[in-house]
Amino acid sequence: MPAPEVLVVPAVPALLPEHAGLVDPVAQLRRAVRSAVPELVGEPPQPVTVLASPPTPEQVRRSAGPTVGLRVARHLLAEAGARPACEVDGDVPADAERLLVVANGSATRTEKAPGHLDERAEAFDAAVGTALASADAERLARLDLALGAELWADVAPLAALGRHLAAVAATGLSWTAQVLHDAAPYGVQYWVVRLRAA
């Protein structure tokens, strides 16, 4: 069985074609994502498990359809000629070989951010970023989801990722991480991170 691979990308509506404009507001992020997703998918394209946050109770009440995270994942995979093997919002199947995780940090980094300025956001994002960059399964699994929600962060998938990393490590494999993008444009923290087990 091939060693597992993971790619973390943010749930950014600007990555969807219906939000395209004359000026790309996330050009560097888009380049990083479009370079990394095909590598995850492989050649020929392989099925990819998608891990994203579930809809909020309000979205369920309004029957709002797929979340932004799922829409972004489906679009990115379709661009790369692949399809989701399955879509989960909690624990990852033990046999998942290729995993696309859709999550992002706080949206409260500046006064003009969607959630306005919260002084706790920078330290929170720094801790999450360090955990991702070091493939620290324990720190990811123990993320403060309540604080994340207060900071408008979509990090529940990263906690589930932490559990997945730990389960794979328990089989004798070890993870390495490569940070491909780390920025907070418009006061929202985005990461693109590749993780590979060996």
Side-chain angles (χ1 to χ4, degrees):
M1 177 182 296
E5 295 189 27
V6 176
L7 180 64
V8 178
V9 301
V12 183
L15 292 173
L16 297 169
E18 58 264 36
H19 294 283
L22 294 177
V23 178
D24 189 348
V26 291
Q28 290 183 330
L29 170 64
R30 190 183 308 277
R31 283 194 294 271
V33 169
R34 283 185 167 170
S35 174
V37 171
E39 290 192 27
L40 174 71
V41 167
E43 184 59 46
Q46 301 297 311
V48 175
T49 298
V50 172
L51 171 60
S53 288
T56 65
E58 174 64 15
Q59 289 170 324
V60 172
R61 186 185 68 78
R62 293 188 291 108
S63 300
T67 62
V68 171
L70 283 180
R71 288 163 55 207
V72 166
R74 291 170 184 176
H75 170 67
L76 294 176
L77 291 177
E79 276 194 327
R83 59 179 176 80
C86 66
E87 297 171 343
V88 297
D89 56 27
D91 289 334
V92 177
D95 60 351
E97 295 176 9
R98 300 167 191 263
L99 178 64
L100 180 62
V101 182
V102 190
N104 46 262
S106 73
T108 56
R109 293 286 292 268
T110 67
E111 290 286 356
K112 294 185 178 180
H116 306 294
L117 177 63
D118 190 311
E119 299 290 350
R120 303 170 294 175
E122 189 170 351
F124 178 83
D125 290 337
V128 177
T130 297
L132 282 171
S134 57
D136 191 326
E138 182 177 357
R139 289 180 68 179
L140 289 171
R142 296 176 62 184
L143 286 176
D144 187 338
L145 301 186
L147 176 56
E150 292 179 21
L151 300 175
W152 291 39
D154 184 7
V155 290
L158 298 182
L161 171 61
R163 297 191 295 272
H164 176 64
L165 298 184
V168 171
T171 69
L173 297 176
S174 59
W175 290 97
T176 58
Q178 181 184 11
V179 179
L180 306 174
H181 184 79
D182 179 351
Y186 315 109
V188 184
Q189 175 64 51
Y190 300 145
W191 297 283
V192 179
V193 182
R194 179 188 293 123
L195 301 104
R196 288 175 170 154

